[in-house]
Amino acid sequence: MKTNDLEDRIIDFAVDIIDITEHVKNNYAGNYYGNQLIRSSGSPALNYGEARSAESHKDFVHKMRICLKELRESFNCLRIIKKSNLFLGNEVHINKAIDENNQLISIFVASIKTSKNNNSNFKSR
């Protein structure tokens, strides 16, 4: 996957989450998890932009790990919203977001692993 493709994908994910939160119940729990979901889903797009301009390999991996942590948080928020029936929209929409979130987690796990392996191979030369 190209760098710009991944960046576009995580931006699209954040935009989809904004739409999802428009269909979350307007009560204490809905507001709490909806607000948390907006923060955690938007963070990977912003941090990935920073990772692309990392000052070192270590800095790159660190920022990528932050993206991964935020994606995992988003995944759990989405699951909580769905399981607690806080989502009032079409269930297909939230299921699609959960699936995309899971795919993004897998991409970031693989990218971090590859980056760490490439760096250790470079150091061993």
Side-chain angles (χ1 to χ4, degrees):
M1 174 175 285
K2 294 179 184 174
T3 302
N4 288 339
D5 292 344
L6 180 56
E7 190 165 49
D8 288 343
R9 196 165 164 181
I10 55 180
I11 288 170
D12 289 345
F13 174 69
V15 170
D16 287 344
I17 294 301
I18 291 168
D19 184 49
I20 283 174
T21 60
E22 292 295 319
H23 302 284
V24 172
K25 282 185 184 176
N26 186 17
N27 61 17
Y28 181 79
N31 291 332
Y32 176 83
Y33 285 107
N35 289 335
Q36 188 62 36
L37 181 58
I38 286 176
R39 286 191 298 275
S40 63
S41 67
S43 178
L46 303 175
N47 280 294
Y48 184 69
E50 293 224 359
R52 290 183 62 188
S53 300
E55 296 176 9
S56 66
H57 180 264
K58 187 177 179 180
D59 187 35
F60 173 79
V61 171
H62 173 71
K63 286 179 169 77
M64 292 293 282
R65 283 183 175 156
I66 292 171
C67 293
L68 179 58
K69 286 171 61 174
E70 295 292 335
L71 285 167
R72 286 182 170 147
E73 183 176 328
S74 298
F75 185 74
N76 286 334
C77 264
L78 281 167
R79 291 179 60 220
I80 290 168
I81 288 169
K82 181 181 175 187
K83 285 186 173 200
S84 62
N85 296 313
L86 291 172
F87 185 67
L88 303 173
N90 187 333
E91 193 171 338
V92 171
H93 196 151
I94 196 165
N95 288 339
K96 182 181 171 197
I98 289 170
D99 181 58
E100 176 65 4
N101 198 162
N102 195 38
Q103 289 180 37
L104 289 169
I105 288 169
S106 296
I107 290 167
F108 275 85
V109 166
S111 181
I112 291 166
K113 184 176 181 181
T114 300
S115 182
K116 287 171 67 176
N117 286 340
N118 288 345
N119 190 50
S120 64
N121 290 339
F122 179 75
K123 284 183 177 180
S124 65
R125 291 182 187 169

